[in-house]
Amino acid sequence: MNNKYLLPVAILVAAVLLLIVGGGFIFPFKLYYVNNSGGIAIGQTINISGINITPLEVQDSRCPPQVQCIIAGWVSVVTQLSGSVKKQTLTVTEGKPAQIPDTNMALTVGVTPSPSYAPSLNRQPWPPQLSEYRFFYKITESK
């Protein structure tokens, strides 16, 4: 490498490392927990950083497997929160973080099974039975 580029490259690397380590710009949130242990079912409760999270109901309008739909649909989970936050119910749509009221935290949910995996599981009809759903939650906190 030419010596005239050494200093600018070193400054650029130092700046990137500072942003990554210092956070706040590239990663402006703190990830508290990801429930990746196989998920939880309707009525089960997990505790993430003092917050009790219980899925109560699922609303699934996703397009069935092997069917072409005009709109892909969505899946939402009615979720009860308690513990270190005021007891409340939130509807959390997969892929869209839901702000937890009176906090700087957001709740996100992932849902299985997915219609894209249903054919490989020989899964018909769609949507699944309530007992087949599993939910994966994470909480992020804004800095």
Side-chain angles (χ1 to χ4, degrees), residues 15 22 26 29-30 45 67 71 101 104 106 118-119 121 129 141:
I26 293 179
F29 59 86
K30 178 179 179 183
T45 299
V67 173
I71 298 174
N104 59 344
L121 300 173
Q129 297 295 313
E141 179 181 15

Side-chain angles (χ1 to χ4, degrees), residues 40-45 53-57 77-80 135 137:
I40 61 172
I42 291 286
Q44 292 182 328
T45 299
I53 301 171
T54 308
L56 301 176
E57 177 184 326
V77 185
V78 177
T79 304
Q80 181 176 297
F135 308 99
Y137 289 95

Side-chain angles (χ1 to χ4, degrees), residues 9 14 19 21 32 44 48 60 63 66 69 76 78 83 85 88 100 108 111 119-121 141:
V9 169
L19 286 172
V21 173
Y32 271 107
Q44 292 182 328
I48 300 176
D60 192 346
C63 188
Q66 302 172 335
C69 296
S76 293
V78 177
V85 295
Q88 58 198 290
I100 300 173
T108 307
V111 179
S120 65
L121 300 173
E141 179 181 15

Side-chain angles (χ1 to χ4, degrees), residues 1-78:
M1 179 182 279
N2 192 335
N3 284 340
K4 72 178 184 176
Y5 296 112
L6 190 57
L7 182 59
V9 169
I11 291 171
L12 180 62
V13 168
V16 169
L17 287 174
L18 181 61
L19 286 172
I20 291 172
V21 173
F25 183 72
I26 293 179
F27 302 108
F29 59 86
K30 178 179 179 183
L31 178 64
Y32 271 107
Y33 182 86
V34 177
N35 171 26
N36 61 359
S37 61
I40 61 172
I42 291 286
Q44 292 182 328
T45 299
I46 60 168
N47 184 287
I48 300 176
S49 192
I51 300 174
N52 298 317
I53 301 171
T54 308
L56 301 176
E57 177 184 326
V58 64
Q59 302 159 349
D60 192 346
S61 72
R62 297 175 292 179
C63 188
Q66 302 172 335
V67 173
Q68 287 188 330
C69 296
I70 295 172
I71 298 174
W74 45 263
V75 60
S76 293
V77 185
V78 177

Side-chain angles (χ1 to χ4, degrees), residues 116-133:
S116 60
Y117 291 106
S120 65
L121 300 173
N122 293 318
R123 176 73 190 81
Q124 292 293 334
W126 191 261
Q129 297 295 313
L130 193 59
S131 61
E132 295 178 282
Y133 284 98

Side-chain angles (χ1 to χ4, degrees), residues 56 78-81 86-91:
L56 301 176
V78 177
T79 304
Q80 181 176 297
L81 304 179
K86 183 178 86 173
K87 188 173 182 177
Q88 58 198 290
T89 302
L90 291 178
T91 299

